[in-house]
Amino acid sequence: HAAADCTNPYIPDTSLELYVSSLNPSADPTPSELNLRNINELAGLASNCNPDVANSNSQTDACQLGLEKHVSGTIDCKGFQRSPKFCTNTDKALGTGCFKIPNSMALGHYVAQWRWE
């Protein structure tokens, strides 16, 4: 779904975030463990992205996948609604998101969690 000319600007999306485990986890990380590892924060692009702490920046652009958050009531192609050709084929339109792999992230196995609200 997307806020677009072929739908309406009031499609609810409040957040799109990407969290990554530590290197080679022995088990799936808990939500609390993942909350400590927002990909943008790990890449040095954001700070205080843990949604569990008071005064968190988790809902700011800096902590969102693609470094931008959809603004409710607008047709802005941001957040989960990043699908520029949505109206061409609403059933199969490609949606994308960008993120930076931190320079300090070693090669190995990671568990990632993409959260959309």
Side-chain angles (χ1 to χ4, degrees), residues 76-97:
D76 59 14
C77 198
K78 294 182 179 179
F80 187 75
Q81 302 188 32
R82 188 175 179 166
S83 180
K85 296 186 178 186
F86 177 76
C87 291
T88 303
N89 186 339
T90 59
D91 181 42
K92 294 182 175 58
L94 174 66
T96 63

Side-chain angles (χ1 to χ4, degrees), residues 3 8-14 69-76 81:
N8 72 72
Y10 301 102
I11 304 297
D13 282 318
T14 60
K69 183 177 174 166
H70 167 67
V71 178
S72 183
T74 63
I75 297 174
D76 59 14
Q81 302 188 32

Side-chain angles (χ1 to χ4, degrees), residues 8-82:
N8 72 72
Y10 301 102
I11 304 297
D13 282 318
T14 60
S15 183
L16 181 60
E17 300 159 279
L18 179 62
Y19 295 89
V20 214
S21 72
S22 56
L23 179 62
N24 298 323
S26 59
D28 286 343
T30 67
S32 295
E33 290 169 330
L34 284 170
N35 285 345
L36 299 171
R37 299 184 51 86
N38 178 290
I39 192 72
N40 294 346
E41 194 166 6
L42 295 174
L45 303 171
S47 62
N48 193 28
C49 294
N50 184 341
D52 291 339
V53 300
N55 301 316
S56 170
N57 292 330
S58 68
Q59 293 298 307
T60 65
D61 283 355
C63 295
Q64 301 295 303
L65 186 66
L67 298 171
E68 56 186 7
K69 183 177 174 166
H70 167 67
V71 178
S72 183
T74 63
I75 297 174
D76 59 14
C77 198
K78 294 182 179 179
F80 187 75
Q81 302 188 32
R82 188 175 179 166

